[in-house]
Amino acid sequence: MKSITINNTKPKVLFFDVNETLLDLTKMKKHVGKALGGKEELLSLWFTTMLHYSLVTSASGHYKPFGHIGAAALQMVAANNNITISEEEARKVIIEAMQNLPAHPEVKTALTQLKKAGYTLVAFTNSSNDGLKKQFENAELTDYFDERLSVEDSGKFKPFTNTYVWGANIMGVKLEECMLIAAHGWDVAGALWAGWRAAFVSRPGQQIFPLAPKTEIEESDLKKVADILVTYK
């Protein structure tokens, strides 16, 4: 993957999306697929439905935990496939699916490389505080990060501009001193439009939003992104 270098000045803070960027969602397919009658191919539809309704919730001036929205989305996708899942069962499925995900194989090496290069590393996720804590404990990622930020404390989900502004303010840095590293085109677009810099990790099935500003780094895994960032001054 060819990277487009626009600015090789070192960002003060690297903000990392968590689900799919750091954590491998492969195991989630089995949990969600089992709940949907073995239809693992519906994972993508469930995930996009969850993201859609997280935006609906924020746009309407409300907040619900990401896991609760995920459970509601699971019930909706199930209903469209003639499967009935109770709210309690759906929440149990989502908790088990989202909190027991391993890191992608190259993630720990890349994070170690970035820490050695002097970067401040911050997790920045739509997951709840409790959910993020358990995810990192189970994936053994806790010690790699200087801070963990959940949008639960901001009251709005990414990619709302206010959420990126909030993240920068929490870390005490200017918008242009922040860089988001994410595997979702919508997240990268939101960060860039908010005034952040961004690096896109093109995990399988993920694409940059063509109408968003250009991303200065685009690579197929986090190690390749780290290899570029350690050359920044």
Side-chain angles (χ1 to χ4, degrees), residues 2-14:
K2 184 178 180 181
S3 293
I4 305 168
T5 302
I6 297 174
N7 179 359
N8 62 0
T9 302
K10 200 172 183 179
K12 284 194 174 180
V13 180
L14 298 178

PDB file of all heavy atoms in Angstrom, residues 2-14:
ATOM      1  N   LYS A   2       0.630   2.135  -0.910  1.00  0.00           N
ATOM      2  CA  LYS A   2       1.434   3.357  -1.011  1.00  0.00           C
ATOM      3  C   LYS A   2       0.914   4.415  -0.049  1.00  0.00           C
ATOM      4  O   LYS A   2      -0.272   4.684   0.030  1.00  0.00           O
ATOM      5  CB  LYS A   2       1.380   3.892  -2.442  1.00  0.00           C
ATOM      6  CG  LYS A   2       2.268   5.112  -2.658  1.00  0.00           C
ATOM      7  CD  LYS A   2       2.207   5.576  -4.092  1.00  0.00           C
ATOM      8  CE  LYS A   2       3.085   6.798  -4.309  1.00  0.00           C
ATOM      9  NZ  LYS A   2       3.028   7.281  -5.696  1.00  0.00           N
ATOM     10  N   SER A   3       1.811   5.005   0.730  1.00  0.00           N
ATOM     11  CA  SER A   3       1.435   6.060   1.667  1.00  0.00           C
ATOM     12  C   SER A   3       1.645   7.426   1.031  1.00  0.00           C
ATOM     13  O   SER A   3       2.551   7.619   0.227  1.00  0.00           O
ATOM     14  CB  SER A   3       2.257   5.948   2.949  1.00  0.00           C
ATOM     15  OG  SER A   3       1.927   4.788   3.642  1.00  0.00           O
ATOM     16  N   ILE A   4       0.788   8.367   1.385  1.00  0.00           N
ATOM     17  CA  ILE A   4       0.888   9.738   0.886  1.00  0.00           C
ATOM     18  C   ILE A   4       1.384  10.604   2.027  1.00  0.00           C
ATOM     19  O   ILE A   4       0.636  10.909   2.951  1.00  0.00           O
ATOM     20  CB  ILE A   4      -0.481  10.241   0.395  1.00  0.00           C
ATOM     21  CG1 ILE A   4      -1.052   9.274  -0.649  1.00  0.00           C
ATOM     22  CG2 ILE A   4      -0.370  11.627  -0.180  1.00  0.00           C
ATOM     23  CD1 ILE A   4      -2.495   9.508  -0.980  1.00  0.00           C
ATOM     24  N   THR A   5       2.647  10.961   2.008  1.00  0.00           N
ATOM     25  CA  THR A   5       3.200  11.754   3.097  1.00  0.00           C
ATOM     26  C   THR A   5       2.923  13.231   2.860  1.00  0.00           C
ATOM     27  O   THR A   5       3.399  13.815   1.894  1.00  0.00           O
ATOM     28  CB  THR A   5       4.718  11.508   3.228  1.00  0.00           C
ATOM     29  OG1 THR A   5       4.932  10.117   3.454  1.00  0.00           O
ATOM     30  CG2 THR A   5       5.283  12.306   4.384  1.00  0.00           C
ATOM     31  N   ILE A   6       2.139  13.821   3.731  1.00  0.00           N
ATOM     32  CA  ILE A   6       1.792  15.234   3.626  1.00  0.00           C
ATOM     33  C   ILE A   6       2.563  16.043   4.665  1.00  0.00           C
ATOM     34  O   ILE A   6       2.993  17.147   4.425  1.00  0.00           O
ATOM     35  CB  ILE A   6       0.273  15.420   3.828  1.00  0.00           C
ATOM     36  CG1 ILE A   6      -0.486  14.696   2.708  1.00  0.00           C
ATOM     37  CG2 ILE A   6      -0.101  16.894   3.849  1.00  0.00           C
ATOM     38  CD1 ILE A   6      -1.985  14.689   2.879  1.00  0.00           C
ATOM     39  N   ASN A   7       2.738  15.443   5.844  1.00  0.00           N
ATOM     40  CA  ASN A   7       3.355  16.157   6.954  1.00  0.00           C
ATOM     41  C   ASN A   7       4.146  15.144   7.780  1.00  0.00           C
ATOM     42  O   ASN A   7       3.567  14.256   8.378  1.00  0.00           O
ATOM     43  CB  ASN A   7       2.246  16.791   7.797  1.00  0.00           C
ATOM     44  CG  ASN A   7       2.784  17.546   9.001  1.00  0.00           C
ATOM     45  OD1 ASN A   7       3.992  17.596   9.231  1.00  0.00           O
ATOM     46  ND2 ASN A   7       1.896  18.123   9.781  1.00  0.00           N
ATOM     47  N   ASN A   8       5.465  15.265   7.768  1.00  0.00           N
ATOM     48  CA  ASN A   8       6.264  14.300   8.525  1.00  0.00           C
ATOM     49  C   ASN A   8       6.703  14.848   9.885  1.00  0.00           C
ATOM     50  O   ASN A   8       7.680  14.396  10.467  1.00  0.00           O
ATOM     51  CB  ASN A   8       7.481  13.826   7.724  1.00  0.00           C
ATOM     52  CG  ASN A   8       8.436  14.952   7.380  1.00  0.00           C
ATOM     53  OD1 ASN A   8       8.202  16.111   7.727  1.00  0.00           O
ATOM     54  ND2 ASN A   8       9.522  14.613   6.698  1.00  0.00           N
ATOM     55  N   THR A   9       5.958  15.846  10.372  1.00  0.00           N
ATOM     56  CA  THR A   9       6.169  16.330  11.730  1.00  0.00           C
ATOM     57  C   THR A   9       5.500  15.373  12.703  1.00  0.00           C
ATOM     58  O   THR A   9       4.368  14.943  12.482  1.00  0.00           O
ATOM     59  CB  THR A   9       5.561  17.745  11.909  1.00  0.00           C
ATOM     60  OG1 THR A   9       6.158  18.626  10.949  1.00  0.00           O
ATOM     61  CG2 THR A   9       5.806  18.264  13.313  1.00  0.00           C
ATOM     62  N   LYS A  10       6.174  15.062  13.791  1.00  0.00           N
ATOM     63  CA  LYS A  10       5.667  14.080  14.746  1.00  0.00           C
ATOM     64  C   LYS A  10       4.405  14.590  15.452  1.00  0.00           C
ATOM     65  O   LYS A  10       4.430  15.666  16.070  1.00  0.00           O
ATOM     66  CB  LYS A  10       6.771  13.829  15.787  1.00  0.00           C
ATOM     67  CG  LYS A  10       6.659  12.551  16.569  1.00  0.00           C
ATOM     68  CD  LYS A  10       7.927  12.376  17.392  1.00  0.00           C
ATOM     69  CE  LYS A  10       7.895  11.072  18.149  1.00  0.00           C
ATOM     70  NZ  LYS A  10       9.129  10.884  18.936  1.00  0.00           N
ATOM     71  N   PRO A  11       3.283  13.862  15.403  1.00  0.00           N
ATOM     72  CA  PRO A  11       2.104  14.259  16.175  1.00  0.00           C
ATOM     73  C   PRO A  11       2.402  14.152  17.673  1.00  0.00           C
ATOM     74  O   PRO A  11       3.180  13.295  18.091  1.00  0.00           O
ATOM     75  CB  PRO A  11       1.042  13.225  15.776  1.00  0.00           C
ATOM     76  CG  PRO A  11       1.574  12.554  14.553  1.00  0.00           C
ATOM     77  CD  PRO A  11       3.049  12.633  14.633  1.00  0.00           C
ATOM     78  N   LYS A  12       1.801  15.001  18.484  1.00  0.00           N
ATOM     79  CA  LYS A  12       2.041  14.933  19.926  1.00  0.00           C
ATOM     80  C   LYS A  12       1.343  13.749  20.567  1.00  0.00           C
ATOM     81  O   LYS A  12       1.833  13.171  21.538  1.00  0.00           O
ATOM     82  CB  LYS A  12       1.593  16.232  20.599  1.00  0.00           C
ATOM     83  CG  LYS A  12       2.558  17.392  20.387  1.00  0.00           C
ATOM     84  CD  LYS A  12       2.257  18.546  21.334  1.00  0.00           C
ATOM     85  CE  LYS A  12       3.320  19.630  21.195  1.00  0.00           C
ATOM     86  NZ  LYS A  12       3.050  20.777  22.103  1.00  0.00           N
ATOM     87  N   VAL A  13       0.170  13.388  20.024  1.00  0.00           N
ATOM     88  CA  VAL A  13      -0.585  12.272  20.583  1.00  0.00           C
ATOM     89  C   VAL A  13      -1.119  11.397  19.451  1.00  0.00           C
ATOM     90  O   VAL A  13      -1.665  11.906  18.467  1.00  0.00           O
ATOM     91  CB  VAL A  13      -1.775  12.761  21.444  1.00  0.00           C
ATOM     92  CG1 VAL A  13      -2.553  11.567  22.004  1.00  0.00           C
ATOM     93  CG2 VAL A  13      -1.294  13.648  22.583  1.00  0.00           C
ATOM     94  N   LEU A  14      -0.965  10.087  19.610  1.00  0.00           N
ATOM     95  CA  LEU A  14      -1.556   9.125  18.688  1.00  0.00           C
ATOM     96  C   LEU A  14      -2.790   8.525  19.356  1.00  0.00           C
ATOM     97  O   LEU A  14      -2.692   7.914  20.423  1.00  0.00           O
ATOM     98  CB  LEU A  14      -0.561   8.008  18.343  1.00  0.00           C
ATOM     99  CG  LEU A  14       0.728   8.418  17.630  1.00  0.00           C
ATOM    100  CD1 LEU A  14       1.608   7.185  17.411  1.00  0.00           C
ATOM    101  CD2 LEU A  14       0.435   9.114  16.310  1.00  0.00           C
TER     102      LEU A  14
END
